[in-house]
Amino acid sequence: MDSHFVEVEHLRQYFPMGGFGSGRTYSRAVEDVSFYIDRGETLGLVGESGCGKTTTARTLLRLYEPTGGRFAFDGNVIFDVEKKQYENMLPYRKRIQLVFQDPYASLNPRMTAGDIVGEAIDVHKLAANKQDRREQIIHMLEMVRLDGSYADRYPHELSGGQRQRVGIARSLSVHPDFLICDEPVSALDMSVQAQILELFQELQEKFGLTYLFISHDLSAVRQIAGRIAVMREGRIVDIQE
Ligand SMILES: Nc1ncnc2c1ncn2[C@@H]1O[C@H](COP(=O)(O)OP(=O)(O)OP(=O)(O)O)[C@@H](O)[C@H]1O
Ligand SMILES: [Mg+2]
């Protein structure tokens, strides 16, 4: 059987909503989601609000315990609920990174851009010493086209586009190979959206990144994704080549 870099099969995620025993009710956020992504490819995932896109992303990272399905990444089975097989997520928390919609909500307002990027480097113990850490931070900021002086700025001193660049620098600082981008340009003005989409493409080429690119905006997804999966009410209903 052909194996792809990312393979998701029959992913399911039900959230308990209350009740007991047979009276238990569930929110069926993800009902049946299957897709694959090859290395270096971008798959778009579109669908209207509430169809289960974010839940799909968070379940793959096991921020929610999957109710059903299988996820294989680079030849490793991350989880297979039916087979009760679960891989230790620790190495994958580095290799698979999330980029969020609203960098303002996901960036600590009391931390400078440098510390925000540095925190990820610290968590994964990637710096040999203070000097090395500083150099890695500056390098990552330059990768997202912010010069080193931005390291000392706070999120409220940055524009929306600059904040998203800091969010991307943070995600990239741990050298992931798979980025799950959850509405990463939806909060931005059109002209800034185009710049950030271009940056994503540039970084993909530079680092050979694989993207799952989530959006409710089909035109944004068309600019970046080769194939597009369309989701409705917890299911993939179409994959456009
Ligand atoms: N933690 C949770 N507990 C219970 N229900 C949830 C939870 N998270 C999401 N849901 C429900 O699951 C469904 C899918 O939500 P999800 O956030 O995945 O949609 P989405 O496609 O990302 O929407 P949007 O485009 O607005 O971001 C919704 O009905 C939502 O209310
Ligand atoms: Mg969402």
Side-chain angles (χ1 to χ4, degrees), residues 219-233:
S219 67
V221 171
R222 281 217 177 96
Q223 288 177 55
I224 192 160
R227 289 179 303 126
I228 299 173
V230 182
M231 222 175 143
R232 189 174 304 136
E233 293 175 5

Side-chain angles (χ1 to χ4, degrees), residues 97-109:
Q97 288 288 312
L98 270 172
V99 177
F100 301 96
Q101 165 171 5
D102 182 357
Y104 206 54
S106 69
L107 302 182
N108 186 334

Side-chain angles (χ1 to χ4, degrees), residues 2-7 36-39 41 72-75:
D2 266 13
S3 82
H4 297 280
F5 191 58
V6 171
E7 293 179 348
Y36 71 85
I37 318 175
D38 285 319
R39 194 190 283 270
E41 192 193 7
F73 173 70
D74 196 16

